[in-house]
Short mmCIF file of all heavy atoms in Angstrom, two decimals:
data_model
loop_
_atom_site.label_atom_id
_atom_site.label_comp_id
_atom_site.label_asym_id
_atom_site.label_seq_id
_atom_site.Cartn_x
_atom_site.Cartn_y
_atom_site.Cartn_z
N MET H 782 36.67 -105.57 -10.58
CA MET H 782 37.55 -106.30 -11.47
C MET H 782 36.81 -107.61 -11.68
O MET H 782 36.03 -107.95 -10.90
CB MET H 782 38.84 -106.61 -10.90
CG MET H 782 39.74 -105.30 -10.64
SD MET H 782 41.25 -105.60 -9.72
CE MET H 782 42.06 -106.73 -10.88
N LEU H 783 37.06 -108.29 -12.79
CA LEU H 783 36.56 -109.66 -13.07
C LEU H 783 37.24 -110.64 -12.05
O LEU H 783 38.43 -110.47 -11.88
CB LEU H 783 36.76 -110.05 -14.51
CG LEU H 783 36.03 -109.36 -15.49
CD1 LEU H 783 36.48 -109.77 -16.91
CD2 LEU H 783 34.53 -109.59 -15.41
N GLN H 784 36.45 -111.40 -11.27
CA GLN H 784 37.06 -112.41 -10.34
C GLN H 784 36.59 -113.76 -10.80
O GLN H 784 35.41 -114.14 -11.11
CB GLN H 784 36.45 -112.13 -9.01
CG GLN H 784 36.78 -110.78 -8.50
CD GLN H 784 36.11 -110.59 -7.14
OE1 GLN H 784 36.56 -111.16 -6.13
NE2 GLN H 784 35.03 -109.74 -7.11
N GLU H 785 37.52 -114.64 -10.76
CA GLU H 785 37.30 -116.05 -11.11
C GLU H 785 36.65 -116.73 -9.85
O GLU H 785 37.07 -116.48 -8.72
CB GLU H 785 38.50 -116.81 -11.51
CG GLU H 785 38.19 -118.13 -12.17
CD GLU H 785 39.28 -118.66 -12.98
OE1 GLU H 785 40.25 -117.99 -13.30
OE2 GLU H 785 39.26 -119.85 -13.41
N GLY H 786 35.62 -117.52 -10.09
CA GLY H 786 34.97 -118.15 -9.00
C GLY H 786 34.45 -119.61 -9.29
O GLY H 786 34.75 -120.14 -10.34
N HIS H 787 33.65 -120.09 -8.46
CA HIS H 787 33.13 -121.46 -8.53
C HIS H 787 31.69 -121.49 -8.00
O HIS H 787 31.29 -120.55 -7.21
CB HIS H 787 34.07 -122.35 -7.59
CG HIS H 787 33.47 -123.71 -7.44
ND1 HIS H 787 33.50 -124.69 -8.30
CD2 HIS H 787 32.84 -124.13 -6.28
CE1 HIS H 787 33.01 -125.80 -7.80
NE2 HIS H 787 32.59 -125.45 -6.51
N GLY H 788 30.89 -122.42 -8.30
CA GLY H 788 29.60 -122.61 -7.73
C GLY H 788 28.62 -121.67 -8.24
O GLY H 788 27.89 -120.91 -7.46
N LEU H 789 28.45 -121.61 -9.48
CA LEU H 789 27.45 -120.67 -10.11
C LEU H 789 26.00 -120.73 -9.73
O LEU H 789 25.46 -121.75 -9.62
CB LEU H 789 27.57 -121.04 -11.72
CG LEU H 789 26.55 -120.51 -12.70
CD1 LEU H 789 27.26 -119.94 -13.85
CD2 LEU H 789 25.70 -121.55 -13.13
N ASN H 790 25.48 -119.59 -9.46
CA ASN H 790 24.06 -119.41 -9.09
C ASN H 790 23.46 -118.86 -10.45
O ASN H 790 24.09 -117.85 -11.07
CB ASN H 790 23.71 -118.33 -8.04
CG ASN H 790 24.11 -118.89 -6.69
OD1 ASN H 790 24.90 -118.36 -5.97
ND2 ASN H 790 23.40 -119.97 -6.25
N GLY H 791 22.39 -119.34 -10.95
CA GLY H 791 21.93 -119.03 -12.13
C GLY H 791 20.96 -117.77 -12.24
O GLY H 791 20.18 -117.55 -13.20
N ASN H 792 21.11 -116.85 -11.37
CA ASN H 792 20.29 -115.73 -11.32
C ASN H 792 20.52 -114.79 -12.57
O ASN H 792 19.61 -114.29 -13.02
CB ASN H 792 20.41 -114.95 -10.02
CG ASN H 792 20.01 -115.69 -8.74
OD1 ASN H 792 20.51 -116.80 -8.62
ND2 ASN H 792 18.99 -115.26 -8.11
N PHE H 793 21.86 -114.62 -12.86
CA PHE H 793 22.25 -113.78 -14.04
C PHE H 793 23.46 -114.50 -14.55
O PHE H 793 24.53 -114.39 -14.00
CB PHE H 793 22.48 -112.36 -13.65
CG PHE H 793 22.81 -111.50 -14.85
CD1 PHE H 793 21.98 -110.73 -15.55
CD2 PHE H 793 24.24 -111.53 -15.39
CE1 PHE H 793 22.32 -110.03 -16.62
CE2 PHE H 793 24.59 -110.74 -16.41
CZ PHE H 793 23.55 -110.03 -17.07
N VAL H 794 23.36 -115.06 -15.75
CA VAL H 794 24.52 -115.72 -16.43
C VAL H 794 24.53 -115.35 -17.92
O VAL H 794 23.49 -115.41 -18.58
CB VAL H 794 24.28 -117.30 -16.28
CG1 VAL H 794 25.43 -117.97 -16.90
CG2 VAL H 794 24.10 -117.76 -14.80
N LEU H 795 25.68 -114.88 -18.37
CA LEU H 795 25.90 -114.55 -19.76
C LEU H 795 26.81 -115.55 -20.26
O LEU H 795 27.93 -115.78 -19.90
CB LEU H 795 26.53 -113.15 -19.87
CG LEU H 795 26.66 -112.74 -21.34
CD1 LEU H 795 25.71 -111.71 -21.69
CD2 LEU H 795 28.07 -112.28 -21.61
N VAL H 796 26.32 -116.35 -21.39
CA VAL H 796 27.03 -117.37 -22.01
C VAL H 796 27.27 -116.92 -23.45
O VAL H 796 26.32 -116.76 -24.20
CB VAL H 796 26.41 -118.75 -21.94
CG1 VAL H 796 27.09 -119.79 -22.73
CG2 VAL H 796 25.98 -119.16 -20.57
N SER H 797 28.52 -116.68 -23.90
CA SER H 797 28.78 -116.30 -25.20
C SER H 797 28.60 -117.39 -26.29
O SER H 797 28.45 -118.55 -25.82
CB SER H 797 30.28 -115.80 -25.32
OG SER H 797 31.12 -116.94 -25.12
N LYS H 798 28.56 -117.10 -27.53
CA LYS H 798 28.32 -118.05 -28.49
C LYS H 798 29.53 -119.08 -28.42
O LYS H 798 29.29 -120.27 -28.68
CB LYS H 798 28.24 -117.35 -29.84
CG LYS H 798 27.98 -118.36 -30.99
CD LYS H 798 27.88 -117.64 -32.29
CE LYS H 798 27.72 -118.65 -33.47
NZ LYS H 798 27.77 -117.91 -34.71
N ILE H 799 30.70 -118.56 -28.28
CA ILE H 799 31.95 -119.36 -28.19
C ILE H 799 31.82 -120.45 -27.09
O ILE H 799 31.98 -121.68 -27.31
CB ILE H 799 33.14 -118.56 -28.02
CG1 ILE H 799 33.42 -117.70 -29.20
CG2 ILE H 799 34.48 -119.41 -27.69
CD1 ILE H 799 34.51 -116.60 -29.08
N VAL H 800 31.40 -120.05 -25.95
CA VAL H 800 31.28 -120.96 -24.79
C VAL H 800 30.04 -121.96 -25.05
O VAL H 800 30.14 -123.14 -24.89
CB VAL H 800 31.01 -120.18 -23.52
CG1 VAL H 800 30.64 -121.15 -22.42
CG2 VAL H 800 32.24 -119.45 -23.12
N PHE H 801 28.99 -121.41 -25.55
CA PHE H 801 27.79 -122.20 -25.83
C PHE H 801 28.13 -123.35 -26.82
O PHE H 801 27.69 -124.46 -26.76
CB PHE H 801 26.66 -121.35 -26.42
CG PHE H 801 25.38 -122.19 -26.67
CD1 PHE H 801 24.54 -122.43 -25.50
CD2 PHE H 801 25.02 -122.71 -27.90
CE1 PHE H 801 23.38 -123.16 -25.71
CE2 PHE H 801 23.94 -123.40 -28.00
CZ PHE H 801 23.04 -123.70 -27.00
N GLU H 802 28.93 -123.06 -27.85
CA GLU H 802 29.32 -123.97 -28.82
C GLU H 802 30.20 -125.14 -28.24
O GLU H 802 30.16 -126.31 -28.68
CB GLU H 802 30.08 -123.28 -30.00
CG GLU H 802 29.16 -122.57 -30.89
CD GLU H 802 29.74 -121.76 -32.01
OE1 GLU H 802 31.05 -121.59 -31.97
OE2 GLU H 802 29.03 -121.28 -32.85
N GLN H 803 30.93 -124.76 -27.22
CA GLN H 803 31.72 -125.79 -26.45
C GLN H 803 30.92 -126.62 -25.46
O GLN H 803 31.09 -127.85 -25.25
CB GLN H 803 32.80 -125.16 -25.69
CG GLN H 803 33.91 -124.48 -26.53
CD GLN H 803 34.92 -123.79 -25.65
OE1 GLN H 803 35.03 -124.05 -24.53
NE2 GLN H 803 35.67 -122.90 -26.31
N LEU H 804 30.02 -125.92 -24.83
CA LEU H 804 29.32 -126.47 -23.64
C LEU H 804 27.92 -126.92 -23.93
O LEU H 804 27.39 -127.87 -23.26
CB LEU H 804 29.29 -125.50 -22.46
CG LEU H 804 29.10 -125.93 -21.00
CD1 LEU H 804 30.01 -127.09 -20.70
CD2 LEU H 804 29.26 -124.74 -20.20
N GLY H 805 27.28 -126.31 -24.85
CA GLY H 805 25.88 -126.53 -25.18
C GLY H 805 24.91 -125.97 -24.15
O GLY H 805 25.28 -124.98 -23.48
N ASN H 806 23.72 -126.37 -24.20
CA ASN H 806 22.61 -125.82 -23.44
C ASN H 806 22.57 -126.45 -22.03
O ASN H 806 23.26 -127.41 -21.75
CB ASN H 806 21.26 -125.93 -24.18
CG ASN H 806 20.27 -124.85 -23.82
OD1 ASN H 806 20.41 -124.26 -22.75
ND2 ASN H 806 19.25 -124.74 -24.57
N LEU H 807 21.67 -125.99 -21.17
CA LEU H 807 21.37 -126.59 -19.95
C LEU H 807 20.86 -128.00 -20.19
O LEU H 807 20.21 -128.32 -21.23
CB LEU H 807 20.22 -125.80 -19.25
CG LEU H 807 20.57 -124.38 -18.64
CD1 LEU H 807 19.36 -123.64 -18.15
CD2 LEU H 807 21.69 -124.43 -17.61
N ASP H 808 21.25 -128.95 -19.38
CA ASP H 808 20.81 -130.25 -19.37
C ASP H 808 19.28 -130.34 -19.12
O ASP H 808 18.75 -129.97 -18.06
CB ASP H 808 21.55 -131.20 -18.49
CG ASP H 808 21.35 -132.68 -18.57
OD1 ASP H 808 20.25 -133.02 -18.96
OD2 ASP H 808 22.29 -133.35 -18.34
N SER H 809 18.55 -130.89 -20.09
CA SER H 809 17.09 -131.08 -19.96
C SER H 809 16.71 -132.03 -18.84
O SER H 809 15.40 -131.90 -18.49
CB SER H 809 16.39 -131.46 -21.25
OG SER H 809 16.88 -132.68 -21.68
N HIS H 810 17.62 -132.68 -18.28
CA HIS H 810 17.30 -133.58 -17.14
C HIS H 810 16.80 -132.81 -15.92
O HIS H 810 16.08 -133.19 -15.10
CB HIS H 810 18.50 -134.44 -16.83
CG HIS H 810 18.14 -135.55 -15.83
ND1 HIS H 810 17.74 -136.78 -16.26
CD2 HIS H 810 18.21 -135.56 -14.48
CE1 HIS H 810 17.65 -137.57 -15.31
NE2 HIS H 810 17.91 -136.88 -14.14
N PHE H 811 17.31 -131.49 -15.86
CA PHE H 811 16.92 -130.73 -14.65
C PHE H 811 15.79 -129.82 -15.01
O PHE H 811 15.73 -129.17 -15.96
CB PHE H 811 18.10 -129.82 -14.24
CG PHE H 811 19.38 -130.63 -13.86
CD1 PHE H 811 20.33 -130.84 -14.80
CD2 PHE H 811 19.42 -131.15 -12.58
CE1 PHE H 811 21.48 -131.54 -14.42
CE2 PHE H 811 20.59 -131.99 -12.29
CZ PHE H 811 21.58 -132.11 -13.23
N HIS H 812 14.82 -129.86 -14.04
CA HIS H 812 13.59 -129.01 -14.18
C HIS H 812 13.73 -127.64 -13.63
O HIS H 812 13.08 -126.73 -14.09
CB HIS H 812 12.35 -129.77 -13.67
CG HIS H 812 12.05 -131.02 -14.45
ND1 HIS H 812 12.41 -132.22 -14.03
CD2 HIS H 812 11.46 -131.20 -15.64
CE1 HIS H 812 12.05 -133.15 -14.93
NE2 HIS H 812 11.47 -132.57 -15.90
N HIS H 813 14.48 -127.54 -12.56
CA HIS H 813 14.74 -126.31 -11.92
C HIS H 813 15.98 -126.38 -11.13
O HIS H 813 17.00 -125.84 -11.51
CB HIS H 813 13.50 -125.85 -11.08
CG HIS H 813 13.66 -124.68 -10.31
ND1 HIS H 813 13.48 -123.40 -10.87
CD2 HIS H 813 13.96 -124.33 -8.98
CE1 HIS H 813 13.67 -122.47 -10.05
NE2 HIS H 813 14.02 -123.02 -8.91
N SER H 814 15.90 -126.91 -9.98
CA SER H 814 17.00 -127.02 -9.08
C SER H 814 18.18 -127.90 -9.72
O SER H 814 17.92 -128.94 -10.37
CB SER H 814 16.65 -127.63 -7.69
OG SER H 814 15.87 -126.83 -7.09
N GLY H 815 19.44 -127.47 -9.52
CA GLY H 815 20.53 -128.26 -10.01
C GLY H 815 20.96 -127.94 -11.43
O GLY H 815 22.13 -128.18 -11.75
N GLY H 816 20.17 -127.36 -12.26
CA GLY H 816 20.57 -127.01 -13.66
C GLY H 816 21.71 -126.06 -13.62
O GLY H 816 22.62 -126.19 -14.51
N ASP H 817 21.60 -125.00 -12.87
CA ASP H 817 22.74 -123.99 -12.83
C ASP H 817 24.00 -124.67 -12.25
O ASP H 817 25.14 -124.43 -12.76
CB ASP H 817 22.30 -122.70 -12.16
CG ASP H 817 21.75 -122.91 -10.79
OD1 ASP H 817 21.63 -123.98 -10.31
OD2 ASP H 817 21.43 -121.89 -10.16
N THR H 818 23.93 -125.43 -11.24
CA THR H 818 25.01 -126.03 -10.63
C THR H 818 25.76 -126.99 -11.58
O THR H 818 26.98 -126.92 -11.72
CB THR H 818 24.63 -126.82 -9.38
OG1 THR H 818 23.99 -126.00 -8.44
CG2 THR H 818 25.75 -127.55 -8.71
N ASP H 819 24.92 -127.72 -12.35
CA ASP H 819 25.48 -128.66 -13.30
C ASP H 819 26.20 -127.90 -14.46
O ASP H 819 27.27 -128.33 -14.79
CB ASP H 819 24.32 -129.53 -13.90
CG ASP H 819 24.79 -130.40 -15.01
OD1 ASP H 819 25.52 -131.45 -14.76
OD2 ASP H 819 24.40 -130.10 -16.14
N TYR H 820 25.57 -126.86 -14.88
CA TYR H 820 26.15 -126.07 -15.97
C TYR H 820 27.54 -125.50 -15.56
O TYR H 820 28.47 -125.52 -16.29
CB TYR H 820 25.26 -124.91 -16.45
CG TYR H 820 25.51 -124.47 -17.80
CD1 TYR H 820 25.10 -125.19 -18.88
CD2 TYR H 820 26.17 -123.29 -18.09
CE1 TYR H 820 25.33 -124.77 -20.25
CE2 TYR H 820 26.40 -122.80 -19.30
CZ TYR H 820 25.94 -123.66 -20.37
OH TYR H 820 26.20 -123.19 -21.69
N GLY H 821 27.58 -124.97 -14.40
CA GLY H 821 28.87 -124.39 -13.82
C GLY H 821 29.98 -125.53 -13.77
O GLY H 821 31.10 -125.33 -14.11
N LEU H 822 29.55 -126.62 -13.21
CA LEU H 822 30.51 -127.71 -13.08
C LEU H 822 31.01 -128.29 -14.39
O LEU H 822 32.20 -128.57 -14.57
CB LEU H 822 29.90 -128.81 -12.15
CG LEU H 822 29.68 -128.56 -10.69
CD1 LEU H 822 28.88 -129.57 -10.06
CD2 LEU H 822 31.04 -128.34 -10.00
N ARG H 823 30.03 -128.39 -15.39
CA ARG H 823 30.44 -128.82 -16.68
C ARG H 823 31.44 -127.85 -17.29
O ARG H 823 32.38 -128.20 -17.93
CB ARG H 823 29.26 -128.98 -17.60
CG ARG H 823 28.39 -130.12 -17.16
CD ARG H 823 27.04 -130.39 -18.04
NE ARG H 823 27.13 -129.86 -19.27
CZ ARG H 823 26.04 -129.17 -19.90
NH1 ARG H 823 24.89 -128.99 -19.26
NH2 ARG H 823 26.12 -128.78 -21.16
N ALA H 824 31.17 -126.60 -17.07
CA ALA H 824 32.07 -125.48 -17.60
C ALA H 824 33.46 -125.70 -17.01
O ALA H 824 34.54 -125.72 -17.74
CB ALA H 824 31.55 -124.14 -17.31
N GLU H 825 33.50 -125.86 -15.69
CA GLU H 825 34.84 -126.02 -14.98
C GLU H 825 35.54 -127.23 -15.42
O GLU H 825 36.77 -127.26 -15.63
CB GLU H 825 34.62 -126.00 -13.51
CG GLU H 825 34.20 -124.70 -12.93
CD GLU H 825 33.91 -124.69 -11.41
OE1 GLU H 825 34.96 -125.17 -10.68
OE2 GLU H 825 32.92 -124.30 -11.02
#
Side-chain angles (χ1 to χ4, degrees):
M782 299 173 60
L783 293 173
Q784 300 175 72
E785 193 158 351
H787 168 77
L789 162 134
N790 288 117
N792 297 58
F793 181 95
V794 180
L795 183 110
V796 179
S797 69
K798 182 180 179 187
I799 292 169
V800 170
F801 185 83
E802 287 173 347
Q803 292 175 20
L804 200 53
N806 207 341
L807 293 169
D808 187 326
S809 63
H810 191 86
F811 299 100
H812 294 98
H813 179 77
S814 296
D817 51 356
T818 302
D819 175 69
Y820 203 76
L822 290 169
R823 285 175 34 218
E825 289 180 52

